Amino acid sequence: MIDADAYAAARRAFDAKTKPRDSLGRIEELGCRLAGIRGFVPERLEAAIVVAAGDHGVAAEGVSAYPQEVTAQMVANFASGGAAINVLARQAGARLVVVDAGVAVPFEHESVRSLRIGAGTANLAIGPAMTDGECRAALAAGRALVEELGDVDVIALGEMGIGNTTAASALTAALLDLEPALVCGRGTGLDDEGLAKKIDTARRALVANVGGDPLTALGGFEIAFLAGVAIGCAERRVAVLLDGFITTAAALAAVRIEPAVADVLIASHRSPEPGHARALEALGLEPLLDLGLRLGEASGAALALPLLHASIALLRDMATFADAGVTDAGR
Amino acid sequence: MIDADAYAAARRAFDAKTKPRDSLGRIEELGCRLAGIRGFVPERLEAAIVVAAGDHGVAAEGVSAYPQEVTAQMVANFASGGAAINVLARQAGARLVVVDAGVAVPFEHESVRSLRIGAGTANLAIGPAMTDGECRAALAAGRALVEELGDVDVIALGEMGIGNTTAASALTAALLDLEPALVCGRGTGLDDEGLAKKIDTARRALVANVGGDPLTALGGFEIAFLAGVAIGCAERRVAVLLDGFITTAAALAAVRIEPAVADVLIASHRSPEPGHARALEALGLEPLLDLGLRLGEASGAALALPLLHASIALLRDMATFADAGVTDAGR
């Protein structure tokens, strides 16, 4: 799926620039990878950030430090421009698309795309979070959004949903065949008791949904939607910039549906959630940042976007040894 | 030196924002630290990048993959806007100041500040690189530049000088009392033989200059100049954003002269040079990026600048729980 010619063209271009070979390390690798994904060396990088929100029936188990109403409150905050991702999207010069994929209480606002699959998922601790039809609809909505966004080079994924680290933990445990205690973390701020409850909830979810499709049974509306966005990106050779644990779990599920997704993924950061490191490793991804970020909302992806822009700007604007009359040591 | 009130004010501001406490990890720490350095929470961050170039007599020992003429060629490349740092400074929206601190052959250009201490240093493998007067003059020129730059919040340090990883290695070994083999690396691309020669050269330098002032004996014009910039920043409560090994060695020397420098340092990245990790550890600094960067020119610092800008933009623009009507779980 990676276009070897475009990758090699970017590699040759970097090697001709006035700097020792490979001295910009992972920034050069990033530029080559973006070229390989797109199939050409982009002149500039058009970036969109898609933040999908959804509610989770599993919130009833008391697995979050925050009450469920916060999902809708944060969508309102995205709409009025006051959340971290609003600030970071502006800083990164990226278009921000906020999607209601199934918040419990609908929120009508011109800056929120209503692609609601339902009013929150069912409680995955006692049965499937979604029906087959709901999961299919969420995937299709994600794919359709990529088509609608048109000529973008990279889409950064983000999410909001109280309870969704529990869904991502159960989903990752199922997909990677891991014990829930190895993937569950403190999310947005659980204490020891809360973490124990979360692990127990994920264990019960795996038992209650044994044999079911992992994404349908253990995912969420926003998670399946983002998996659909990743599949749409693979179809259109658009790079996917992952954020934290939940978006990476969505990518893991997407790769099971469409293996070509693996080729378009770029990991922005590694969060302190233990499941995130496991999921990144399974996807063969080395993140760009490791800054203790655990907010979600695509905040880590937005913080990494300038590195992607820099890689393409260097390819476009740096002088070559020949242009600049600089002696090339050839290494 | 860190202003505890300003640091605490930034901490309180972050805690009131619509996100779980500390969920933006090191980005929050960065905003607090910038406030603590400046003595107030900046509304926005005015950044300058100072790249100082100098030649090194030790280049005669064959310790670089590149010939000495490349220093002057790269200064010309900076002047015509084709080097990596030109591209990255534009991307980061930072002012770029290129300083000739002592290139072997002077280069006259309106965009290069001529603050020449001499036409390259003496060979530190056989005696002191600089005279006491030259080192003092370089330090003073660095301090004076900070005064001239006026109301900036952060100055990113960068350098260019064929042979200067050998100088930085000898200087770091002397300052930290380490065996040269522990600090010497491949610089811009040495092979095994080149690395062995570099280690031998650093060892001879330590013997030849035993008892001398480390910065004077083992530094370089651009290294002493950048140490002066760091001292000037400490005097004026301006943050210093370090780049790679050479700028960090300069900071290490600056801290020996003026201990308050330690409080204004921020490490942008960790390079593969083994001495860099040692110097960062000695300064108690944890870098923001780890991307295999080994170009110098302030390229790593410029790549980290957007993270500093983001930390301040979040402090300025994010809504509080109270503003946005979001339920605060208090953790």
Side-chain angles (χ1 to χ4, degrees):
Chain A
M1 176 77 175
I2 288 280
D3 184 316
D5 291 341
Y7 189 100
R11 183 72 272 162
R12 277 194 307 277
F14 270 124
D15 286 350
K17 303 295 190 184
T18 47
K19 55 167 192 52
R21 301 288 188 280
D22 199 37
S23 59
L24 286 169
R26 296 200 54 210
I27 297 297
E28 297 187 33
E29 178 197 318
L30 196 53
C32 294
R33 193 160 160 74
L34 286 165
I37 291 169
R38 293 296 283 147
F40 55 90
V41 182
E43 260 292 297
R44 58 186 304 280
L45 220 54
E46 201 63 53
I49 298 173
V50 174
V51 179
D55 268 312
H56 293 260
V58 74
E61 302 284 335
V63 288
S64 174
Y66 287 79
Q68 191 179 55
E69 71 208 35
V70 168
T71 307
Q73 290 170 349
M74 284 302 298
V75 173
N77 198 19
F78 298 150
S80 57
I85 192 55
N86 300 97
V87 178
L88 296 174
R90 277 197 296 274
Q91 286 283 310
R95 176 179 171 194
L96 175 62
V97 181
V98 178
V99 173
D100 175 359
V103 178
V105 181
F107 178 82
E108 302 287 336
H109 192 282
E110 56 176 6
S111 70
V112 177
R113 296 289 309 267
S114 181
L115 300 170
R116 297 170 54 75
I117 311 300
T121 56
N123 183 350
L124 56 85
I126 54 180
M130 293 180 269
T131 65
D132 292 348
E134 286 172 336
C135 189
R136 272 198 305 275
L139 286 163
R143 286 180 58 192
L145 181 68
V146 177
E147 197 167 331
E148 188 198 314
L149 288 177
D151 204 25
V152 294
D153 299 292
V154 56
I155 296 180
L157 306 187
E159 44 56 50
M160 175 69 218
I162 296 302
N164 69 4
T165 62
T166 301
S169 296
L171 179 58
T172 301
L175 290 172
L176 300 183
D177 197 17
L178 291 169
E179 175 35 39
L182 294 174
V183 292
C184 287
R186 294 176 189 278
T188 47
L190 288 177
D191 56 17
D192 290 348
E193 191 187 345
L195 177 58
K197 196 189 289 177
K198 184 172 176 178
I199 294 169
D200 176 63
T201 303
R203 280 186 188 141
R204 286 190 289 125
L206 293 181
V207 173
N209 291 290
V210 71
D213 170 63
L215 180 60
T216 308
L218 305 166
F221 295 141
E222 85 283 35
I223 294 175
F225 177 84
L226 293 171
V229 171
I231 293 167
C233 285
E235 288 165 347
R236 300 177 69 91
R237 307 193 70 96
V238 170
V240 172
L241 185 61
L242 298 176
D243 186 32
F245 181 35
I246 293 118
T247 62
T248 306
L252 208 53
V255 168
R256 297 296 168 104
I257 297 168
E258 173 49 67
V261 168
D263 291 330
V264 300
L265 301 176
I266 296 171
S268 63
H269 78 107
R270 181 185 287 114
S271 85
E273 285 290 294
H276 193 203
R278 298 277 186 163
L280 288 170
E281 196 188 348
L283 290 165
L285 297 173
E286 186 59 41
L288 294 163
L289 303 174
D290 193 345
L291 298 170
L293 308 173
R294 52 185 180 81
L295 174 58
E297 301 179 9
S299 53
L303 286 165
L305 262 180
L307 299 176
L308 278 66
H309 285 295
S311 72
I312 297 302
L314 290 163
L315 273 172
R316 185 187 59 225
D317 293 336
M318 265 187 84
T320 62
F321 283 105
D323 292 341
V326 174
T327 306
D328 180 5
R331 51 179 159 166
Chain B
M1 176 78 176
I2 289 281
D3 184 315
D5 290 342
Y7 189 101
R11 184 71 271 162
R12 277 194 306 276
F14 270 125
D15 286 350
K17 302 294 190 183
T18 48
K19 56 167 192 52
R21 301 288 189 279
D22 199 37
S23 58
L24 286 170
R26 297 201 52 210
I27 298 297
E28 297 187 34
E29 179 196 317
L30 197 53
C32 294
R33 192 160 161 73
L34 285 166
I37 291 168
R38 294 295 284 145
F40 54 91
V41 182
E43 261 292 297
R44 58 185 303 281
L45 219 55
E46 202 64 53
I49 298 173
V50 174
V51 179
D55 268 313
H56 294 261
V58 75
E61 302 284 335
V63 288
S64 174
Y66 287 80
Q68 190 179 55
E69 71 209 34
V70 169
T71 306
Q73 290 170 348
M74 284 303 298
V75 172
N77 198 19
F78 298 151
S80 57
I85 192 55
N86 299 99
V87 179
L88 295 174
R90 278 198 295 274
Q91 287 283 309
R95 176 179 170 192
L96 175 61
V97 181
V98 178
V99 173
D100 175 359
V103 179
V105 181
F107 177 81
E108 302 287 335
H109 192 283
E110 55 176 6
S111 71
V112 176
R113 295 289 308 267
S114 181
L115 301 170
R116 298 170 54 76
I117 311 300
T121 56
N123 184 351
L124 55 85
I126 53 180
M130 293 179 270
T131 65
D132 291 348
E134 285 172 337
C135 189
R136 272 199 305 274
L139 286 163
R143 286 179 59 192
L145 182 68
V146 178
E147 195 166 333
E148 187 197 315
L149 288 176
D151 204 24
V152 294
D153 299 292
V154 55
I155 295 180
L157 305 188
E159 45 55 50
M160 176 67 218
I162 296 302
N164 69 5
T165 62
T166 301
S169 296
L171 178 58
T172 301
L175 291 172
L176 301 183
D177 197 17
L178 291 169
E179 175 34 42
L182 294 174
V183 292
C184 287
R186 293 175 190 279
T188 48
L190 289 177
D191 56 15
D192 288 350
E193 191 188 343
L195 178 58
K197 195 189 292 178
K198 184 172 174 177
I199 293 169
D200 176 64
T201 303
R203 280 186 188 139
R204 286 190 287 125
L206 293 181
V207 173
N209 291 290
V210 72
D213 170 62
L215 180 60
T216 307
L218 305 165
F221 295 142
E222 84 283 35
I223 294 175
F225 176 84
L226 292 171
V229 171
I231 293 168
C233 285
E235 289 165 346
R236 299 177 70 90
R237 309 194 69 97
V238 170
V240 172
L241 185 61
L242 298 176
D243 186 32
F245 181 35
I246 294 120
T247 62
T248 307
L252 209 53
V255 168
R256 297 296 169 104
I257 298 169
E258 173 48 69
V261 168
D263 291 330
V264 301
L265 301 176
I266 296 171
S268 63
H269 79 106
R270 180 187 287 114
S271 86
E273 286 291 294
H276 194 202
R278 298 279 185 160
L280 288 170
E281 197 189 348
L283 290 165
L285 297 173
E286 184 60 41
L288 294 163
L289 303 174
D290 192 346
L291 298 170
L293 308 173
R294 52 186 180 82
L295 174 58
E297 301 180 8
S299 54
L303 285 165
L305 261 181
L307 299 175
L308 277 65
H309 284 296
S311 73
I312 297 303
L314 290 162
L315 273 171
R316 183 188 61 225
D317 293 337
M318 266 187 84
T320 62
F321 284 106
D323 293 340
V326 174
T327 306
D328 179 7
R331 50 180 161 165

